[in-house]
Structures are given as structure tokens and as C-alpha cells.
């Protein structure tokens, strides 16, 4: 059976996606994925949103994130749990929100699985009074100093964050047939990823600790993705940026968008080694470097690093036609350290740095002849969001 699944994966991810532009949501995984898979009883699923907003009073720009999350829902429903459970086999839903930069903060509110409702046919997620659908995002977190709404074994920042937002997804990036229902039903991949809103425009408002922030489409530099699976990758790399300026032409590039995701994925119980996927939208054209696609044939160099004050993304990846060199940096003083536990209740990874104010450069090349690389453009990016999990 494993051999059949492996052959299916190789053939499907190598040939079929070549016929489908990567920036079209052909494989819509924004819907609830866990039911009907092994991950339903032993797994997690989350929807992630990030964007930049402007303080009404001061004009300051500040990045925020919001996350809707469910853990072991099938297990909770089988056992009839009517409250959030922590420990060896946790079962709960939660809403997480935070902000990066100076005075960065994160808060979480936990709920029983019975407070979680999601559709397998369209994007529609409810956790208590928090809602998300294809065009709207509404909710709030209110964490008191007594810690009454947070995980009993962790401490998070007290305060409040409310949001009422509209979202338009402009560019998407799909993992392709590697996230097909057949492979999901087999539990082949330990962790799955999809990026329905690689480049997204947000509008609306956020209220953080009584300060009102306006969210405007042109300056939201927004992003939305999701993850689900039975565990987390051994190491973890993510980077997103939607605010670029061309060094070559000294001009804003409003259509430019970058996403990097990867780490050490596991397929059918076997580690695939350190891998990354890269999607890049440039002047209306989409380019991808996808290790699941043999025809894409990417070669990569990954040199993630941590020093006492910074996290550094240093990644170069090439296929037969294009190469992209990515160098971004984020200050630890403006980052968060996020906490995740896996479906067995084990805190993994040990250290997960999370940024929303990363900045850096992207150099994009095309191949001339058999071996010569010609620089197409050099871009400077700001308001980048990213993560680095150290195993």
C-alpha cells in the first residue's frame, strides 16, 4: 500500500500540476480538512491570518495576526467532552491573536471542541463568537490578569484584541496533489500546508487594548494560510512578504509577493530531509520551486541562523529556468516565541521564533543558456512575517 501511495504521489505531484497555474485555488484546502482522515481523531488544524494596520491616533503602522485552531476534534466528540482538556491527549479549540514590533504581545482563549464548527464544503469556521468565512473575519480575545481564559500550563499576555475585517485573496499557492484527499486519508504526510491567501487585501478595524487601528487594502500587506496534520515538522521554516520595492527601477512593486515554507517534512513515516517550497509572484506572473514536483527539479541551499539578537533567513533555490536568492532578518526584540503542543500533548518544537517585522532582499534570476544566470530584478522587502523553529 505504501508503495502504491508513493507512486501516486510522485506521478500526481510531478505531472498533473504542470497543467494548472499555481496561483489558482484549484485545490481548495481552506475548507475543514480533518473529517474522514486519520487526523480527525489524532490531529490539529488551524487557519492563520496576518496583516498590517494603522493606529488612528498616532498613524503608526503595526502588524497583527489571528489564528483559529482545533485539536483532536474526533477524539473529543467520541468521548463526549464538553470542556477543553489539556495533558496527554489534549482536546480543545482556541483563538490566538497577537502583534509584533515594539511592545509585541500574544494572547490565547481556549474553548471546548463543542464550541468549534467548520464546513467541509466552504470556508466557514466558528469558535464560540469568533467567525471566519471567505470574505469576513470577526472576533475578539479578552484575557484577564487572573489567567482565567488561558492554558493552565502556560502564561500569555493579558489584554484584549478585537477585529472586524474583510479579506480579498489575490494570489494563492497550493501544495498541489500532495494534499489530495487520497493522501490525506492515508495520513501520508505528518504536516500539511496550503496558502489560499499568499497575497491578500484586508480592510476593516482592529482594537488592541482600546487603541483603534484602521486596516486598509493598500497598506495591509496581508497573508492567509493554513496547516493541519498529526504532528509538526522536526524543523520549521516560514517566510512571507507582500511589500516590495524594486532596486532596479526604484519603484514600488504592488503585485510582488513571496512565500517560503518548509523544514523537515515526513512522508509515510520517512524523513524527506530539509526541504522548502517557494512561491513568488512578480509583475503578474507566478513562479514556484516545489520539491514535490519532479519536473520542477529544484536545487536548494538553506542557511537559517540565529544569533543573540536576530533570526536570519538565507535561502537560495533554483529550477531549470529560474533562481531566487532570499535574505531576510528579524530582530528578536520585535518577535514572539509561540507555543504549540502536538496531539499527544508534547510541546513541539522546543523553540519557535515568530516575526512580523522582518525585512530583507530578494534577487530573482532567469537562466540564459545552460549555466548563466541573468538578474531580472533585485527587490527590497519590509513587513515580512516568518517563523523559524529549532528542533
Amino acid at each position: 500500500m505504501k508503495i502504491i501511495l508513493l507512486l501516486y504521489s510522485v506521478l500526481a505531484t510531478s505531472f498533473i500540476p504542470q497543467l494548472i497555474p499555481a496561483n489558482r485555488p484549484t485545490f481548495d484546502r481552506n475548507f475543514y480538512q480533518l473529517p474522514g482522515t486519520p487526523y480527525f481523531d489524532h490531529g490539529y488544524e488551524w487557519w492563520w491570518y496576518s496583516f498590517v494596520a494603522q493606529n488612528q491616533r498616532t498613524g503608526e503602522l503595526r502588524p497583527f495576526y489571528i489564528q483559529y485552531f482545533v485539536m483532536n476534534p474526533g477524539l473529543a466528540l467520541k468521548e463526549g467532552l464538553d470542556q477543553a482538556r489539556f495533558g496527554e491527549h489534549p482536546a480543545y479549540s482556541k483563538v490566538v491573536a497577537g502583534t509584533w514590533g515594539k511592545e509585541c504581545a500574544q494572547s490565547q482563549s481556549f474553548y471546548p471542541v463543542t464550541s468549534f464548527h467548520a464546513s467541509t464544503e466552504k470556508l466557514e469556521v466558528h469558535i464560540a463568537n469568533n467567525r471566519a468565512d471567505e470574505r469576513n473575519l470577526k472576533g475578539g480575545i479578552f484575557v484577564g490578569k487572573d489567567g482565567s481564559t488561558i492554558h493552565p500550563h502556560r502564561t500569555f499576555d493579558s489584554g484584549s484584541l478585537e477585529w472586524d475585517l474583510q479579506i480579498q485573496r489575490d494570489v494563492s499557492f497550493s501544495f498541489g496533489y500532495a494534499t489530495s484527499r487520497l493522501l490525506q486519508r492515508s495520513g501520508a504526510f505528518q504536516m500539511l500546508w496550503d496558502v489560499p491567501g499568499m497575497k491578500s487585501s484586508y480592510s476593516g478595524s482592529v482594537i488592541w487594548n482600546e487603541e483603534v487601528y484602521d486596516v486598509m487594502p493598500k497598506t495591509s500587506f496581508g497573508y492567509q494560510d493554513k496547516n493541519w496534520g498529526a504532528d509538526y515538522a522536526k524543523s520549521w521554516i516560514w517566510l512571507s512578504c507582500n511589500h516590495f520595492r524594486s532596486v532596479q527601477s526604484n519603484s514600488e512593486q504592488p503585485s510582488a509577493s513571496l512565500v517560503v515554507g518548509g523544514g523537515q517534512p515526513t512522508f509515510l513515516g520517512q524523513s524527506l530531509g530539509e526541504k522548502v517550497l517557494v512561491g513568488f509572484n512578480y509583475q503578474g506572473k507566478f513562479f514556484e520551486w516545489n520539491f514535490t514536483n519532479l519536473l520542477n527539479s529544484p536545487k536548494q541551499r538553506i542557511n537559517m541562523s540565529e544569533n543573540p539578537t536576530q533570526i536570519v533567513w538565507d535561502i537560495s533555490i533554483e529550477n531549470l529556468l529560474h533562481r531566487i536568492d532570499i535574505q531576510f532578518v528579524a530582530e528578536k526584540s520585535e518577535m514572539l516565541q509561540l507555543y504549540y503542543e502536538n496531539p499527544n500533548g508534547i510541546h513541539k518544537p522546543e523553540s519557535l521564533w515568530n516575526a512580523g517585522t522582518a525585512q530583507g532582499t530578494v534577487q530573482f534570476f532567469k537562466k540564459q543558456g545552460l549555466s548563466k544566470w541573468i538578474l531580472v530584478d533585485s527587490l527590497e522587502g519590509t513587513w515580512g512575517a516568518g517563523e523559524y523553529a529549532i528542533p
Side-chain angles (χ1 to χ4, degrees):
M1 182 63 180
K2 286 188 176 182
I3 293 175
I4 294 173
L5 287 169
L6 181 59
L7 289 173
Y8 170 84
S9 174
V10 169
L11 290 172
T13 59
S14 298
F15 295 97
I16 298 175
Q18 296 295 312
L19 306 176
I20 304 169
N23 61 329
R24 292 183 184 173
T26 306
F27 311 102
D28 199 331
R29 302 302 178 221
N30 229 2
F31 310 161
Y32 188 25
Q33 297 297 300
L34 297 190
T37 75
Y39 311 124
F40 188 53
D41 291 346
H42 184 88
Y44 61 89
E45 186 163 359
W46 78 65
W47 292 258
W48 173 279
Y49 301 81
S50 55
F51 54 91
V52 174
Q54 185 175 38
N55 188 304
Q56 274 190 0
R57 181 176 57 85
T58 66
E60 169 202 25
L61 291 178
R62 173 172 284 277
F64 292 90
Y65 79 91
I66 301 163
Q67 182 186 45
Y68 293 62
F69 187 108
V70 66
M71 172 70 78
N72 289 337
L75 181 63
L77 296 176
K78 281 182 179 179
E79 297 183 6
L81 289 178
D82 59 0
Q83 59 184 357
R85 183 175 71 189
F86 309 103
E88 186 176 354
H89 298 292
Y92 51 76
S93 58
K94 68 176 180 176
V95 179
V96 189
T99 179
W100 300 283
K102 296 178 181 178
E103 300 179 357
C104 54
Q106 57 176 318
S107 297
Q108 306 196 30
S109 288
F110 287 82
Y111 303 88
V113 170
T114 51
S115 294
F116 171 85
H117 303 279
S119 171
T120 58
E121 298 178 352
K122 59 183 178 179
L123 175 58
E124 188 171 277
V125 181
H126 298 170
I127 301 178
N129 293 324
N130 302 279
R131 296 174 178 248
D133 61 33
E134 195 62 42
R135 294 300 304 271
N136 302 285
L137 192 66
K138 188 176 179 66
I141 290 183
F142 309 91
V143 178
K145 293 183 179 180
D146 61 355
S148 57
T149 64
I150 64 176
H151 194 297
H153 306 301
R154 301 290 297 181
T155 300
F156 297 99
D157 301 298
S158 62
S160 64
L161 199 152
E162 301 173 74
W163 54 91
D164 188 354
L165 300 166
Q166 294 75 52
I167 178 174
Q168 176 179 309
R169 295 170 184 83
D170 303 312
V171 178
S172 64
F173 180 36
S174 173
F175 201 16
Y177 278 92
T179 58
S180 70
R181 292 304 288 175
L182 176 60
L183 289 182
Q184 287 194 58
R185 289 189 185 104
S186 73
F189 279 99
Q190 188 178 51
M191 185 177 189
L192 298 106
W193 179 54
D194 194 61
V195 193
M198 173 178 159
K199 182 176 181 61
S200 298
S201 301
Y202 288 79
S203 58
S205 63
V206 168
I207 304 174
W208 178 46
N209 292 338
E210 300 183 355
E211 288 276 2
V212 180
Y213 289 78
D214 294 322
V215 185
M216 296 166 285
K218 289 186 178 180
T219 56
S220 63
F221 314 129
Y223 174 87
Q224 190 255 316
D225 75 0
K226 65 175 304 189
N227 287 88
W228 67 103
D231 206 341
Y232 308 118
K234 190 174 180 180
S235 66
W236 195 328
I237 300 168
W238 168 58
L239 181 67
S240 164
C241 187
N242 284 306
H243 184 225
F244 284 103
R245 169 175 285 274
S246 168
V247 176
Q248 311 292 85
S249 63
N250 191 29
S251 62
E252 296 284 336
Q253 297 292 307
S255 69
S257 178
L258 171 74
V259 69
V260 180
Q264 294 184 38
T266 299
F267 178 71
L268 296 175
Q270 302 298 314
S271 173
L272 300 180
E274 196 165 44
K275 302 287 186 181
V276 293
L277 301 97
V278 177
F280 182 54
N281 198 68
Y282 177 73
Q283 294 190 350
K285 295 183 179 180
F286 193 90
F287 305 87
E288 72 168 302
W289 296 260
N290 187 337
F291 69 85
T292 72
N293 190 325
L294 297 185
L295 292 183
N296 200 264
S297 188
K299 298 178 182 179
Q300 62 182 32
R301 175 186 58 78
I302 304 170
N303 188 26
M304 296 293 301
S305 62
E306 175 187 9
N307 62 51
T309 61
Q310 297 174 322
I311 297 294
V312 179
W313 292 260
D314 183 0
I315 296 165
S316 179
I317 189 166
E318 65 183 69
N319 56 27
L320 296 176
L321 299 176
H322 298 96
R323 188 181 97 209
I324 191 167
D325 295 346
I326 302 160
Q327 290 187 316
F328 267 68
V329 63
E331 301 295 327
K332 285 183 175 179
S333 61
E334 297 186 352
M335 299 177 73
L336 298 168
Q337 283 198 289
L338 299 191
Y339 167 81
Y340 289 108
E341 59 188 354
N342 71 8
N344 291 324
I346 299 172
H347 178 193
K348 294 177 67 178
E350 291 297 325
S351 177
L352 175 56
W353 286 98
N354 177 276
T357 59
Q359 55 186 326
T361 61
V362 169
Q363 290 187 305
F364 179 48
F365 300 84
K366 65 179 180 181
K367 182 171 281 188
Q368 186 179 82
L370 295 177
S371 59
K372 187 176 181 180
W373 292 106
I374 304 298
L375 180 66
V376 176
D377 206 347
S378 180
L379 305 174
E380 294 179 341
T382 55
W383 298 112
E387 290 179 331
Y388 178 43
I390 304 165

